[in-house]
Amino acid sequence: MGADVGIAAVVKAFAYGHGYSQVTDILKDQEIKFFAVHSIDEAETLTRKYPDLPILILGYVPKNMLEYAISKHWRLSLYNIETIGVLSKFAAKTGNDAYVHLKLETGTNRQGISRKLLPEFIEELKRHPKVISEGVAMHFANIEDTTDHSFAQHQLKQYRIMLEQIESAGIAIEIRHTASSAASLLFDKTHFDMVRLGVSMYGLWPSKETYLSYVMAHGKDSLLKPVLSWKSIVAQIKDVPAGEYIGYGCTYRTTADSRIAVIPAGYYDGYDRKLSNIGYVLIRGKRAPVRGRICMDIFMADVTHIPDVHLEDEVVLIGKQGNEQLTAEQLAEWADTINYEIVSRINPLLPRIIVE
Ligand SMILES: *Cc1c(COP(=O)(O)O)cnc(C)c1O
């Protein structure tokens, strides 16, 4: 991103399923401007282990938690005018200034200050000098999902206009930030003072369209490499004659004498139930198709064609084995979702192990 662009490491959602402490242990000694989380609960979880971590909360903080957030010096995303007065009161009470990042509405219609209400916000902020506007942020609606980036350009234009209004009203902004992974990868002019990197930090492309846009602009890609693998083991191997059912609902019936591996992972672990009768896992370097429905903690796969499968053989749900690979993107395609959801829903209780 270049030396003058700060990094907000987005570690919400259990660091996209990768593990708060595993990821933070690696990042804490890097030059990270903020650790961006969604909620106050995530901020609390992170700072319990790493008390001095600079935290930026992207989501909503309830009014009754604002005093606590200020006392912790957490940076807040501001987009409700009511919040300013409450923050100001607590800032006076705790003796700490309240640092906020103004979140601008530029067309996503999620959290944000509309252009119409911006003058009121500016007036209110000027009335409350203990509420410091440290940052001005926005979020793109349509970069990942398309190779046509005209809406993103429109949003960027809105952002610049509103930023200019804020700055010309005499509010000095230290950190302007707009870009998540896709914008960071594709458009230098979205970088401003800081980028908020989530999915790409974990070695995943935000989408096929982002990947294509990047490759078209930069030629061959060797930029991102997924860092997460998800592994289980074979818990039982059984011979199932032709014509028998497998799993709940009797949705799969063997058409030939089959050898079935029982795998102790299920939808509770985050292995999507939509992968029932659709997904594959890797065993002994080969693809084994999922047979029957994914259960809460168990599913079955067909290993008839794989010689020498043994009890406790490694089963790869995501990652490489031999010359084969299953990516989060592939699972997402099978489960009719996106790689973000596949990794962020891996149950936090499963152990995450750093291997390199
Ligand atoms: C989640 C999030 C990001 C990170 O997005 P990626 O596409 O994962 O890089 C950035 N900004 C905001 C406001 C977010 O909610």
Side-chain angles (χ1 to χ4, degrees), residues 10 12 16 58 103 110 139 144 180-182 196-200 206 340:
V10 182
K12 67 192 182 194
Y16 286 49
L58 301 171
K103 183 71 183 286
R110 198 167 73 170
H139 196 53
E144 289 89 350
S180 58
S181 292
R196 306 182 303 264
L197 298 183
V199 81
S200 60
Y340 290 75

Side-chain angles (χ1 to χ4, degrees), residues 4-161:
D4 51 351
V5 179
I7 306 270
V10 182
V11 293
K12 67 192 182 194
F14 202 58
Y16 286 49
H18 291 60
Y20 288 129
S21 57
Q22 288 80 355
V23 170
T24 308
D25 275 342
I26 292 170
L27 291 179
K28 68 181 191 323
D29 303 320
Q30 310 291 323
E31 279 180 45
I32 300 295
K33 206 164 180 82
F34 289 111
F35 287 76
V37 296
H38 171 69
S39 67
I40 197 147
D41 307 286
E42 290 183 320
E44 182 68 16
T45 302
L46 274 184
T47 53
R48 211 171 279 158
K49 183 153 181 215
Y50 311 93
D52 300 324
L53 227 49
I55 298 276
L56 169 63
I57 301 181
L58 301 171
Y60 184 68
V61 175
K63 283 186 269 185
N64 65 0
M65 293 304 291
L66 288 174
E67 180 175 358
Y68 186 70
I70 297 174
S71 75
K72 294 281 192 175
H73 305 281
W74 294 337
R75 272 48 180 166
L76 303 165
S77 299
L78 184 93
Y79 47 87
N80 287 315
I81 200 156
E82 302 91 315
T83 310
I84 300 171
V86 182
L87 282 173
S88 182
K89 193 179 77 191
F90 289 140
K93 190 172 157 198
T94 58
N96 293 337
D97 286 342
Y99 286 85
V100 298
H101 289 228
L102 308 179
K103 183 71 183 286
L104 303 184
E105 177 55 67
T106 61
T108 307
N109 282 310
R110 198 167 73 170
Q111 305 172 129
I113 304 166
S114 69
R115 206 166 149 183
K116 186 160 158 257
L117 294 180
L118 187 59
E120 275 178 58
F121 269 82
I122 291 172
E123 285 315 305
E124 185 72 355
L125 284 164
K126 290 177 114 176
R127 270 196 292 276
H128 296 288
K130 288 190 155 306
V131 180
I132 313 287
S133 301
E134 179 182 57
V136 172
M138 65 151 276
H139 196 53
F140 290 103
N142 200 25
I143 281 199
E144 289 89 350
D145 300 307
T146 176
T147 51
D148 169 4
H149 296 111
S150 51
F151 195 70
Q153 304 298 350
H154 162 76
Q155 285 192 276
L156 194 58
K157 196 170 156 202
Q158 295 300 308
Y159 176 77
R160 287 186 191 282
I161 292 168

